[in-house]
Amino acid sequence: MRKKRDKNMAASIESSKCSENNLRKRRGENLTSAKQTVDSTESENDISKYDKKEKVTLQTGTYWLTRIVLLRSIAFIYFVAFGVAYNQNKQLIGERGLMPCKEYLRSVKRYVGGKIGMAALAYTPSILWFMDWEDMDANLDAIALVGLALSGFVLLSGRANMIIMAVLWILYHSIVSVGQLWYSFGWESQLLETGFLGIFLCPFWSLAQMPRHCPPSHISIWTFRWLIVRIMLGAGMIKIRGDSCWLDLTCMDYHYETQPVPSPISYYLHHSPWWFHRFETLSNHFIELVVPFFTFMGRRMCMVNGTLQILFQVALIISGNLSFLNWLTIVPSLACFDDLALASLFWPSGGPWQTLMKLQKEKAEGTSSPATKGMFIRRVVNVALGILIAFSDITKERTEVVFQGTLSANHTDEGVVWEEYEFLCKPGAVDRRPCLITPYHYRLDWLMWFAAFQTYEHNEWVIQIAGRLLANDSTVLSLMAHNPFQSREKPRWVRGEHFRYKFTKPGRATAAQGKWWVRKRIGPYFPPVNLEGLRSYFQSRNWHQPDSY
């Protein structure tokens, strides 16, 4: 009996231990499971925190990327302008040019009392005053080449400082100041104003693409916005107060055919339906007179203004060869966009994007770098600049001057053969396709368009061209596309003929023959002239004799 009791007691103890062990095991599993759940939750939270930390969104109201885009855009226009200067300045204002800048500087020097001082600089601000006048062609080339090099550097790198931008401005101002008639176009002053504003976008000395100590000035951004507002409102008001065709909505019936240098697209746009031309004119009024006010209606409306202005200028670029004017007008429109709007133009893995995220994060955390002395100087100038800045006719028919020459000794003989010279881009031969050169600019072609509205007495340089053609002068001939007397003897006589040009109509016989234009002779622009007859004319105007070059 006792043995049996002990055996039962032992079994009970063992069962109790087994139950306790099972309980402990279950508790252990539960604790492990709970711990794993906690660890998993903590891990997920860490991942979530990490994801949130890594997922950075760009903020509105900063202009680091805007500055890069603006600087590259200004540099592009400078590059084109200096390229035009390098290719054409020698022929227009060089030693053998049609209007030598050396003679112009001498006349200014005499006018201000014979000294090169502040009076001379105020009248004609140009570094050419301080250069050797013995070889003016080399001086002009040097200015253009330095301008090309500096603007090319800014264009490719997106880096600039106030010194580089100021040098570009001074160099181009130096050319414009002595360019005389050839640099009398409105976009020259617009480029100088835009380039001047670009000086204050940059740090004083640093060439970093995104210098931490020098964020883009909001005042500087607003000066660009104010510039596009002024340009567009000014253009719209001039139209309304000028030609009546802008009010009766018929200007676009003539524009494409009569603009200075039409493009191939101009031909087809000219033949658009009448209702399309009315729509174009109304759209022009809306974009120039209404849309600019969007600039002051908040971020979204400001971007709408920038978008519409850029699209408008692109349409003008496609429809004609208006030099770099429309390209230049796009530049201040870019200031309507902040970093968030322009971020798509940059690679997310690229330096500017990554730097921008760091800068915005530092600003949000209040750990931005302190301002430097150079930054304070730039702020003062920007404030002063902000205070200072804050506060046409459409021709109905196209006429052209065509130069013609002949080898005949007597221009009055019967059967005299007159052969035509061709300019680089302006209309001449009726079967010649209109050119497409924008943003490049042939200055002589443009001036010939203006000369056709007047007489040669108002444009005496036309007679100088005639004299140079009589001498087969290579300088002037380099500005032309076709010389009928190349590799032949010099022409005996040259004359200017006045023609009225009109686009051919698609489907008509003239168009089927490959002709873009039809023309009708109005009469002589200037009478036939020869070298002997022009000698006294050249001498009376203190010009070098045509055959003396």
Side-chain angles (χ1 to χ4, degrees):
M1 180 70 79
R2 186 175 179 180
K3 281 183 178 181
K4 188 176 181 180
R5 191 183 299 134
D6 290 343
K7 188 176 181 181
N8 289 336
M9 188 178 293
S12 177
I13 292 171
E14 185 175 353
S15 175
S16 176
K17 285 181 180 180
C18 184
S19 299
E20 186 177 351
N21 287 337
N22 289 334
L23 181 61
R24 287 177 180 176
K25 187 176 180 181
R26 288 193 196 98
R27 285 179 179 175
E29 288 176 354
N30 290 337
L31 287 172
T32 301
S33 176
K35 186 177 180 181
Q36 287 176 351
T37 302
V38 170
D39 289 345
S40 176
T41 303
E42 288 179 355
S43 177
E44 289 176 1
N45 289 337
D46 288 343
I47 293 172
S48 176
K49 289 178 181 178
Y50 179 78
D51 288 341
K52 289 179 182 177
K53 184 178 179 180
E54 290 299 315
K55 186 178 180 181
V56 180
T57 57
L58 296 179
Q59 302 170 5
T60 62
T62 62
Y63 301 94
W64 296 93
L65 302 182
T66 307
R67 172 162 63 185
I68 296 174
V69 173
L70 280 171
L71 288 175
R72 279 185 159 151
S73 301
I74 296 171
F76 171 72
I77 305 300
Y78 268 134
F79 191 83
V80 173
F82 281 115
V84 172
Y86 180 73
N87 289 329
Q88 300 179 37
N89 273 356
K90 292 184 288 295
Q91 299 93 317
L92 300 176
I93 60 175
E95 295 281 355
R96 300 174 58 183
L98 294 169
M99 297 180 183
C101 64
K102 182 191 294 187
E103 301 302 324
Y104 174 74
L105 290 172
R106 283 174 177 166
S107 66
V108 173
K109 184 178 177 181
R110 288 193 298 269
Y111 178 77
V112 298
K115 294 182 180 180
I116 301 176
M118 291 305 298
L121 280 172
Y123 194 92
T124 305
S126 176
I127 62 173
L128 286 168
W129 287 114
F130 310 106
M131 302 178 77
D132 185 6
W133 291 8
E134 290 301 317
D135 191 353
M136 195 61 78
D137 286 353
N139 295 340
L140 293 170
D141 280 352
I143 291 174
L145 288 172
V146 173
L148 282 169
L150 290 177
S151 58
F153 168 76
V154 178
L155 175 61
L156 295 175
S157 68
R159 304 167 185 269
N161 56 31
M162 294 181 75
I163 296 173
I164 290 178
M165 298 304 292
V167 170
L168 284 169
W169 186 82
I170 291 170
L171 292 175
Y172 198 66
H173 205 313
S174 295
I175 294 175
V176 173
S177 296
V178 300
Q180 304 162 81
L181 182 67
W182 313 108
Y183 281 82
S184 60
F185 303 102
W187 50 80
E188 313 296 354
S189 57
Q190 185 177 328
L191 173 54
L192 288 172
E193 183 173 1
T194 306
F196 185 75
L197 297 181
I199 296 173
F200 306 100
L201 272 175
C202 314
F204 181 77
W205 182 258
S206 173
L207 278 177
Q209 197 174 45
M210 300 178 70
R212 292 172 173 271
H213 301 286
C214 190
S217 165
H218 284 224
I219 294 176
S220 185
I221 295 296
W222 271 101
T223 58
F224 280 95
R225 292 176 178 177
W226 178 241
L227 177 60
I228 189 61
V229 170
R230 283 175 38 231
I231 290 171
M232 302 313 293
L233 286 178
M237 292 302 297
I238 288 173
K239 290 182 176 70
I240 293 297
R241 296 167 59 185
D243 202 313
S244 60
C245 70
W246 288 109
L247 292 176
D248 59 31
L249 308 182
T250 60
C251 275
M252 299 308 291
D253 294 345
Y254 313 99
H255 166 70
Y256 296 115
E257 183 178 72
T258 62
Q259 63 179 310
V261 184
S263 71
I265 305 299
S266 307
Y267 176 86
Y268 299 102
L269 289 173
H270 175 71
H271 295 296
S272 300
W274 67 268
W275 57 264
F276 181 74
H277 291 317
R278 303 299 179 271
F279 169 75
E280 287 179 304
T281 311
L282 284 172
S283 299
N284 180 93
H285 293 329
F286 175 70
I287 290 174
E288 291 186 341
L289 295 172
V290 177
V291 173
F293 292 102
F294 293 179
T295 305
F296 312 105
M297 298 181 182
R299 176 178 177 269
R300 292 182 182 276
M301 294 303 290
C302 185
M303 289 194 297
V304 170
N305 172 46
T307 301
L308 290 177
Q309 299 299 348
I310 291 172
L311 292 175
F312 181 52
Q313 298 306 319
V314 170
L316 294 175
I317 289 169
I318 294 171
S319 65
N321 295 295
L322 298 176
S323 182
F324 51 77
L325 172 62
N326 305 119
W327 300 79
L328 176 60
T329 308
I330 288 175
V331 174
S333 302
L334 296 170
C336 295
F337 303 93
D338 59 13
D339 289 339
L340 181 59
L342 296 177
S344 59
L345 300 179
F346 296 81
W347 291 105
S349 58
W353 181 293
Q354 297 298 325
T355 305
L356 175 62
M357 289 194 296
K358 291 179 182 178
L359 291 170
Q360 289 193 346
K361 180 184 176 183
E362 289 175 0
K363 183 179 179 181
E365 294 175 353
T367 58
S368 301
S369 302
T372 62
K373 292 181 180 179
M375 182 177 171
F376 281 121
I377 294 172
R378 192 173 65 102
R379 282 179 179 174
V380 171
V381 177
N382 272 322
V383 171
L385 183 66
I387 294 172
L388 288 173
I389 292 180
F391 288 99
S392 123
D393 295 333
I394 291 290
T395 55
K396 305 302 189 297
E397 63 179 21
R398 179 179 204 92
T399 59
E400 293 287 352
V401 178
V402 177
F403 284 91
Q404 299 175 342
T406 181
L407 295 173
S408 299
N410 191 342
H411 67 87
T412 60
D413 290 344
E414 290 187 13
V416 173
V417 177
W418 292 95
E419 301 179 70
E420 294 187 3
Y421 293 86
E422 285 285 344
F423 284 79
L424 290 169
C425 203
K426 87 176 190 69
V430 294
D431 59 350
R432 183 185 179 197
R433 182 180 65 84
C435 64
L436 183 61
I437 57 165
T438 180
Y440 197 77
H441 182 205
Y442 290 123
R443 297 185 180 277
L444 178 58
D445 289 46
W446 268 74
L447 266 296
M448 288 301 302
W449 180 76
F450 286 106
F453 301 134
Q454 301 170 323
T455 65
Y456 74 89
E457 289 90 351
H458 293 94
N459 301 276
E460 293 183 340
W461 51 271
V462 171
I463 303 301
Q464 185 174 173
I465 291 177
R468 298 290 195 91
L469 295 179
L470 285 165
N472 259 354
D473 179 61
S474 60
T475 301
V476 170
L477 286 169
S478 66
L479 296 172
M480 295 191 169
H482 174 63
N483 171 22
F485 304 99
Q486 186 174 4
S487 303
R488 298 163 63 188
E489 61 179 295
K490 301 174 183 178
R492 300 286 188 87
W493 297 87
V494 167
R495 70 180 184 181
E497 289 290 278
H498 210 184
F499 287 91
R500 182 178 292 109
Y501 277 67
K502 293 184 71 68
F503 276 135
T504 59
K505 293 185 178 180
R508 297 288 180 87
T510 50
Q513 294 169 5
K515 295 179 180 179
W516 293 80
W517 302 95
V518 291
R519 73 183 188 184
K520 182 178 180 180
R521 183 176 182 271
I522 300 172
Y525 186 80
F526 63 85
V529 294
N530 61 7
L531 276 176
E532 292 304 318
L534 286 179
R535 292 196 186 281
S536 59
Y537 187 89
F538 273 59
Q539 187 175 0
S540 66
R541 286 153 180 78
N542 293 320
W543 295 345
H544 295 290
Q545 292 299 319
D547 53 357
S548 66
Y549 291 101

